[in-house]
Amino acid sequence: MSQVRVRFAPSPTGSFHIGSARTALFNWLYAQHTGGKFILRIEDTDKERNTPEALQHLIDGMKWLGLLWDEGPEVGGDFGSYFQSERKDVYQVYLKKLRDTDRAYDKDGAVFFRLEGDRYQAYDNFKKCEVEKVKAEPQVINDLVRGKVERAEEQDFVIFRKNGEPVFHFVNVVDDICMQISHVIRGEDHLSNTSKHCELFKAFGHTPPEFAHIPLILKSHGSGKMSKRDEGALIDEYQSRNFLPAAVRNYLCLLGWSPKDDREVLPIEEIIQLFSLEGINKNNARFDEKKMSFINSEHLRHLPIDEFINLAKPILTAAKLIDENIDTDYLNSVLKICQEKVRSIDDLPSFCNYFFNEDFDFNEKAKNKILKKGEPKSRLTELLNAIEKLEKFDQVSLEELVQVLAGKFDVNTGAYIHTGRLAVSGTNAGPSFYGMLEVLGKEKTVNRINRLLEII
RNA sequence: GUCCCGUUCGUCUAGCCAGGUCCAGGACACAGGGUUUUCAUCCCUGUAACAGGGGUUCGAAUCCCCUACGGGACGCCA
């Protein structure tokens, strides 16, 4: 069997859409799985709508997701140019082939593709006018995802616009021929276009490639496929919100495909190994931001600590919590106890600000809840006195200390933990209490308890 | 309107091709509980689905047909 060659062929008309990203991903996965080539081809035949900014967005997004291409912009290849706007000569050659076999003709200033079959007039209820239809042979594809699909074209269609530019169906097929594409993996919205494409392939004397039409991503609420205006639809959004690219990629894999063994969070190497076109679902999938966040938090928590630290540093710097003078050991110990609890890297500054800041604010809700119950002042005083006498200020000793206190004054350990946490962090949730105190150290802990005691 | 595709918990899905082991499994979300340590981690429990109808069969989530519903295409956009 000859080498697998797949392509992702976007039109850079705006931001990088999550649906496009998944199409790119599935193509990339298949290339990786089969040891084939992944080609990036830019379909910029419509000058009005394509911009260099959009192209840059797309390239950045692809790289961010780790979907690197073997041939295409920036890397070149033997089948270029990979920009359709630079392939005009090729299209003229192929247009001539159609003219020579009488499969292309001019009408209304445009060039049409001629279907073969008996012609008849019919009223088109959609276009609300009389049109010429053709009884053409149905085109049969053996879709690798959906099985046998049959559809007949019934009208000649435009292949070159009045302005001389070729249209999508034409360039798509010509380039797939020129670039020796073996498998066309694209969204199901192209399924009904496939009959046009098959007509063209055959008119050029070519066997069509294999097709795999993948399900669409539907918007999380309401009806219809996800559009660029929907929340969560753009890859840049995840970039700017500091999602982990590996997590976004992992989630996207799960939309329409699964490893079949109840696992969800898994390394890309394993996904590559398990991936198959036959394993792709037929039905559309609804986008779920909560699940995406969950997958992201799973990846975040399982990140090697060094990577977590590297990721966290710029975020904490931007939030002005740390600067280049920060004590590295201290920072590392803070991040170590925060990693297992934090859900997203964007939450990190608000999650751990009190480690770097003595006059943090108190969370009013937490404050009211904790100070309203029991005798917080007594508990804090008892805790303070005990801590001042403590020689070894570590997790184990602190836990023992609190347990002894609880026994002595006949209260739950929670009474000390709640008030103590409020004193040192200003809130009621965070990393493990004892770990937090150990990281902060005795001096800060004592000062902070005193600070709270003064205002209650 | 025409054509094409689809339909398992609210959502993503496993199971379907090779019918019995499925009174349908996992995950997110939600609800409750636990960890005599808070909590956003962790653990446990719960709610919750084979779209409907017909057929084939000893037996159907699995095979066939119909209906309903959902999605897509029908651009001199891609």
Side-chain angles (χ1 to χ4, degrees), chain A residues 206-256:
Chain A
H206 261 268
T207 311
E210 300 289 338
F211 290 99
H213 285 94
I214 66 180
L216 267 22
I217 300 178
L218 268 26
K219 55 179 83 190
S220 18
H221 304 289
S223 65
K225 62 174 172 173
M226 202 141 172
S227 85
K228 47 183 173 283
R229 285 195 308 277
D230 289 312
E231 202 177 327
L234 270 25
I235 293 299
D236 338 0
E237 207 177 309
Y238 299 102
Q239 274 179 275
S240 61
R241 286 172 62 195
N242 291 303
F243 272 72
L244 298 175
V248 175
R249 193 174 54 188
N250 190 160
Y251 176 69
L252 253 23
C253 288
L254 264 20
L255 242 33

Side-chain angles (χ1 to χ4, degrees), chain A residues 364-394:
Chain A
E364 282 306 313
K365 238 173 119 181
K367 195 173 156 189
N368 292 337
K369 191 174 153 195
I370 291 166
L371 295 182
K372 182 168 76 177
K373 271 194 299 197
E375 302 160 302
K377 206 157 184 167
S378 313
R379 298 292 90 78
L380 277 173
T381 310
E382 288 149 18
L383 185 64
L384 180 66
N385 292 339
I387 280 177
E388 277 176 330
K389 279 180 231 144
L390 190 65
E391 277 171 26
K392 210 165 151 226
F393 197 79
D394 62 16

Side-chain angles (χ1 to χ4, degrees), chain A residues 61-344:
Chain A
M62 292 280 288
K63 287 182 181 168
W64 184 71
L65 284 170
L67 307 179
L68 303 182
W69 48 99
D70 301 299
E71 296 172 26
E74 296 185 353
V75 301
D78 295 339
F79 300 86
S81 165
Y82 295 92
F83 289 89
Q84 290 186 330
S85 55
E86 297 172 0
R87 299 177 58 81
K88 297 203 164 90
D89 296 348
V90 177
Y91 303 139
Q92 286 307 321
V93 170
Y94 275 81
L95 172 58
K96 184 157 187 304
K97 290 188 190 197
L98 293 185
R99 287 199 193 277
D100 288 348
T101 50
D102 200 30
R103 298 300 300 274
Y105 64 94
D106 297 294
K107 188 181 142 196
D108 304 331
V111 183
F112 281 71
F113 177 76
R114 190 194 310 280
L115 293 171
E116 290 176 327
D118 295 337
R119 282 161 194 268
Y120 61 101
Q121 291 292 120
Y123 183 76
D124 189 312
N125 219 341
F126 186 72
K127 291 176 183 157
K128 305 287 176 208
C129 63
E130 196 77 13
V131 295
E132 185 188 59
K133 293 201 172 179
V134 183
K135 270 227 136 1
E137 282 293 303
Q139 298 299 313
V140 182
I141 65 164
N142 235 310
D143 194 283
L144 265 12
V145 171
R146 338 193 75 86
K148 184 176 163 190
V149 178
E150 237 180 276
R151 186 175 186 275
E153 277 304 310
E154 48 180 25
Q155 276 181 63
D156 291 351
F157 53 91
V158 174
I159 50 177
F160 275 76
R161 304 188 185 97
K162 212 184 301 187
N163 68 7
E165 298 288 341
V167 306
F168 162 71
H169 304 297
F170 180 82
V171 291
N172 198 265
V173 167
V174 169
D175 287 346
D176 283 347
I177 291 171
C178 294
M179 297 179 184
Q180 297 177 20
I181 299 304
S182 63
H183 293 71
V184 171
I185 305 167
R186 50 165 36 161
E188 200 222 65
D189 48 346
H190 285 294
L191 191 54
S192 357
N193 288 330
T194 308
S195 42
K196 284 191 182 70
H197 300 170
C198 286
E199 288 280 3
L200 285 166
F201 274 110
K202 289 174 186 166
F204 288 124
H206 261 268
T207 311
E210 300 289 338
F211 290 99
H213 285 94
I214 66 180
L216 267 22
I217 300 178
L218 268 26
K219 55 179 83 190
S220 18
H221 304 289
S223 65
K225 62 174 172 173
M226 202 141 172
S227 85
K228 47 183 173 283
R229 285 195 308 277
D230 289 312
E231 202 177 327
L234 270 25
I235 293 299
D236 338 0
E237 207 177 309
Y238 299 102
Q239 274 179 275
S240 61
R241 286 172 62 195
N242 291 303
F243 272 72
L244 298 175
V248 175
R249 193 174 54 188
N250 190 160
Y251 176 69
L252 253 23
C253 288
L254 264 20
L255 242 33
W257 177 87
S258 91
K260 320 269 183 227
D261 62 1
D262 291 346
R263 284 181 307 160
E264 295 192 312
V265 176
L266 57 176
I268 196 69
E269 293 75 20
E270 208 162 339
I271 294 180
I272 286 169
Q273 202 180 6
L274 295 169
F275 187 79
S276 77
L277 298 175
E278 292 73 18
I280 296 175
N281 287 120
K282 295 178 178 66
N283 45 314
N284 296 339
R286 203 170 281 278
F287 180 76
D288 183 354
E289 221 216 339
K290 286 194 171 142
K291 183 115 186 188
M292 167 85 130
S293 294
F294 169 77
I295 301 281
N296 185 58
S297 67
E298 284 287 294
H299 278 263
L300 193 62
R301 279 193 286 267
H302 294 133
L303 221 52
I305 181 71
D306 293 353
E307 280 181 48
F308 183 73
I309 291 168
N310 286 338
L311 228 51
K313 269 187 193 162
I315 308 283
L316 296 180
T317 306
K320 296 201 165 38
L321 290 174
I322 63 171
D323 57 29
E324 64 278 6
N325 300 319
I326 186 76
D327 179 327
T328 308
D329 290 342
Y330 179 67
L331 176 64
N332 292 0
S333 56
V334 168
L335 292 177
K336 210 165 176 175
I337 60 169
C338 288
Q339 186 187 10
E340 61 183 35
K341 289 290 180 76
V342 76
R343 270 186 89 87
S344 87

